[in-house]
Amino acid sequence: MLQRPILLDIPDRLESERLWLRVPRPGDGAAINQAVRESFEELRPWLPWAATLPTVAESEEFARRSAVSYLAREAFTWLLWSKQTGDLIGASGMHDLNWSVPSMQIGYWVRTSMTGQGYITEAVRTLTRFAFDVLGAYRLEIRCDERNERSAGVARRAGFVLEGVLRNERRHHLSQELRNTMVFAAVKAPSERASSSS
């Protein structure tokens, strides 16, 4: 159990084969907004925060609030940047942190022009290792609408196991119809953590 997560010394940038995963910072709002605008119709059915198109100022506010949450260890957001082109690919992060386990939930989105290239799976694998090896997590979850086949595919390719389907778990943010939520998880047994730290 981690008593004081704010004292964790963790990097604000991670690296995978093709990506830099970097914490948002002031000035990122324009790039975030451009990516969201390009992808709005694909994001809108699945992500409540994409119910309305954000302004550049709102995207800038998101970047700054995300940086503050990262420093406070209340939530972790990373922007995904292509090493090759420097373009913003999308974003991923960890929320619903429970430091008493520790456990957390991973979320993600990718801009429309970058879909189907494995970037999100690559990012999720990187964050999974980071959560287990650096944050000391025992449990990670990915939750998505039962109809969101692409998101479920990412979870499966990243090694997460479907633990169940929560029926009538929420109302859709646009239609208000009841929807089912798939819960995928990756876990690290306490014995694994003990042996890896010795």
Side-chain angles (χ1 to χ4, degrees):
M1 179 186 301
L2 190 62
Q3 297 293 334
R4 296 182 179 178
I6 199 167
L7 297 180
L8 273 174
D9 289 323
I10 55 177
D12 62 3
R13 188 167 78 164
L14 306 175
E15 181 180 2
S16 66
E17 181 183 351
R18 298 177 294 168
L19 298 172
W20 289 113
L21 292 75
R22 178 177 58 70
V23 175
R25 57 190 181 207
D28 283 336
I32 295 168
N33 192 264
Q34 183 183 39
V36 170
R37 284 179 176 272
E38 175 192 310
S39 315
F40 183 66
E41 292 305 319
E42 288 73 32
L43 300 176
R44 192 168 182 257
W46 311 118
L47 300 173
W49 60 261
T52 58
L53 196 60
T55 65
V56 174
E58 288 169 335
S59 296
E60 179 65 22
E61 182 177 344
F62 164 79
R64 295 178 184 220
R65 290 189 184 280
S66 295
V68 170
S69 294
Y70 195 94
L71 287 173
R73 310 305 186 229
E74 296 170 349
F76 299 105
T77 299
W78 290 270
L79 299 179
L80 314 178
W81 302 90
S82 167
K83 285 182 176 180
Q84 183 176 8
T85 66
D87 293 333
L88 179 62
I89 303 291
S92 188
M94 298 176 184
H95 54 93
D96 292 341
L97 308 181
N98 180 351
W99 290 109
S100 68
V101 175
S103 67
M104 49 209 68
Q105 195 177 140
I106 297 179
Y108 40 79
W109 63 272
V110 63
R111 71 189 302 162
T112 300
S113 59
M114 301 294 180
T115 57
Q117 300 180 51
Y119 287 117
I120 296 299
T121 302
E122 182 178 324
V124 170
R125 287 176 176 154
T126 300
L127 294 182
T128 298
R129 289 192 298 272
F130 174 77
F132 285 145
D133 298 343
V134 179
L135 300 181
Y138 285 119
R139 176 181 176 83
L140 302 175
E141 286 187 0
I142 293 174
R143 295 186 177 213
C144 64
D145 190 296
E146 188 177 40
R147 301 179 194 179
N148 192 343
E149 296 177 3
R150 283 191 168 189
S151 186
V154 168
R156 291 187 177 100
R157 287 191 297 275
F160 284 64
V161 175
L162 179 64
E163 290 191 334
V165 178
L166 306 179
R167 296 175 296 167
N168 294 345
E169 190 263 343
R170 64 182 184 89
R171 289 195 180 273
H172 191 270
H173 56 282
L174 299 175
S175 68
Q176 298 303 308
E177 72 173 309
L178 288 167
R179 300 294 274 266
N180 299 338
T181 300
M182 292 187 285
V183 180
F184 294 88
V187 299
K188 187 172 187 178
S191 59
E192 289 180 70
R193 184 162 176 229
S195 61
S196 65
S197 61
S198 59

